[in-house]
Amino acid sequence: MSKVEEENMTSGIVFDIRRFSVHDGPGIRTAVFLKGCPLHCLWCHNPEGISFSPEILRRTERCVDCRTCVRLCPLKIDPRAEAGGHLCKDCPSFGCCAEACPAEALQIIGRRMTVSVLMEAIRADLPFYEESGGGVTFSGGEPLAQREFILALLKACKSEGIHSALDTSGFTDRDFMLEAGMLTDIVLFDLKLLDEEKHRKFTGVSNTSILTNLSALYEAGANVVLRLPLIPGINDALEELEKMALYIGSLEAKPTELRSIEIRHTDKKSIETGPISDTWSGTQTKFLPKKAHILPYHDSAKDKYRLRRQEYAMSGTAIPSTESIDRAVSIFEAAGISVTIGG
């Protein structure tokens, strides 16, 4: 078996594939969410992506009491009340109850997929990529946590000329960050807090490797777009924003030249891919300016926590006002950073 064939057989856990996304990179994109994350951000909007294992989600409001799941359960528990609990992890037929549920009151979150199967799903959207300048975005969870899987996926995209973006917290070792960061066309790098103590408090991990990796990416000439969550009461104070802007402005970035990628899935000519404009479109340039997307906090994930029977730690947190968002934009722009709200 060749190395390419081996990589195509590499597998990982995917918990969602969203088509026609317009927020996670240029053009129309397919967003692929890999399961598992070492961080536990207080405001996480994908709590179903934190665990590294497949899970079963109960939606009791959909249950029609047909008892199909009860009859099928090899553990002899009542999935209507206990599916997704600790006993399910040892189930010899994990997910059979959800697969059989006619009302979809039980849902499997996370399925193992090979690179070959996932790339087939990605190729289905090729016409949209070609017309819009789009591609695929790998998110999570933390995609870098499934090391072999994400590397094989990025290599497959590059070999086929499919534009890729990597949405990451940057929480990994430096060498692996550089390997993955230089394989992808865009690194969407989430930068949450500079203070290590606060970072540990609100995300559960140190930010030492994260800051090291961000600096290394810029120095290597990777195409980095920062994603800066704006969280009231956590990182939106004037002093916090000014320190963040000064830090980003101080990072030394190597000029990045446009790269030519051969499109092997079509008879169209090769295209130049590399730096993108501040709004994901327009004329590409030879040099990479500092770019940041400010992501104002929202509470749209609270229903996910309710369904998972978990406390939503951000309950009662206000949505950032227009004035606070504008203030943040002004601070970063004053540091020479090109800013987009959302994205």
Side-chain angles (χ1 to χ4, degrees), residues 290-301:
K290 297 279 181 61
K291 296 185 291 289
H293 291 180
I294 292 179
L295 309 178
Y297 163 78
H298 58 77
D299 62 358
S300 62

Side-chain angles (χ1 to χ4, degrees), residues 15 24 91 106 201 211 276 311:
F15 73 88
D24 300 310
C91 179
L106 301 175
K201 177 181 178 180
L211 299 181
I276 53 174
E311 179 186 358

Side-chain angles (χ1 to χ4, degrees), residues 172-319:
T172 188
D173 62 88
R174 181 181 181 277
D175 290 345
F176 186 65
M177 182 75 260
L178 287 176
E179 185 178 6
M182 299 310 287
L183 272 174
T184 191
D185 294 293
I186 303 171
V187 181
L188 302 173
F189 198 103
D190 299 328
L191 188 59
K192 310 174 197 320
L193 289 154
L194 289 183
D195 182 85
E196 184 180 10
E197 185 177 340
K198 291 188 69 174
H199 199 279
R200 283 186 182 275
K201 177 181 178 180
F202 293 115
T203 73
V205 301
S206 166
N207 64 355
T208 300
S209 62
I210 292 172
L211 299 181
T212 296
N213 290 337
L214 178 58
S215 178
L217 285 171
Y218 274 124
E219 289 174 1
N223 188 10
V224 178
V225 177
L226 292 166
R227 292 161 73 86
L228 311 174
L230 187 66
I231 315 296
I234 294 179
N235 67 359
D236 67 335
L238 178 62
E239 183 180 3
E240 295 261 6
L241 295 172
E242 289 177 340
K243 285 182 178 179
M244 181 71 79
L246 287 173
Y247 171 77
I248 295 170
S250 71
L251 293 171
E252 294 186 8
K254 176 183 176 182
T256 303
E257 295 188 0
L258 296 170
R259 304 183 297 276
S260 179
I261 290 183
E262 180 184 356
I263 302 178
R264 300 184 182 178
H265 52 259
T266 179
D267 56 4
K268 293 183 180 181
K269 66 180 181 179
S270 298
I271 60 171
E272 298 289 344
T273 181
I276 53 174
S277 76
D278 301 329
T279 56
W280 296 128
S281 61
T283 304
Q284 295 176 340
T285 63
K286 265 196 169 184
F287 301 99
L288 180 65
K290 297 279 181 61
K291 296 185 291 289
H293 291 180
I294 292 179
L295 309 178
Y297 163 78
H298 58 77
D299 62 358
S300 62
K302 62 184 179 182
D303 282 343
K304 292 185 178 182
Y305 288 85
R306 176 183 60 80
L307 289 171
R308 296 174 61 81
R309 292 162 178 79
Q310 292 178 342
E311 179 186 358
Y312 183 54
M314 299 296 289
S315 180
T317 302
I319 305 300

Side-chain angles (χ1 to χ4, degrees), residues 123-164:
R123 289 189 204 102
D125 291 336
L126 280 174
F128 302 104
Y129 308 157
E130 291 165 359
E131 291 300 320
S132 68
V136 60
T137 298
F138 297 106
S139 186
E142 170 50 65
L144 294 182
Q146 297 192 48
R147 296 169 73 104
E148 292 184 4
F149 191 42
I150 189 61
L151 279 186
L153 287 167
L154 292 174
K155 289 175 182 177
C157 288
K158 183 172 282 293
S159 70
E160 297 186 29
I162 297 175
H163 187 281
S164 68

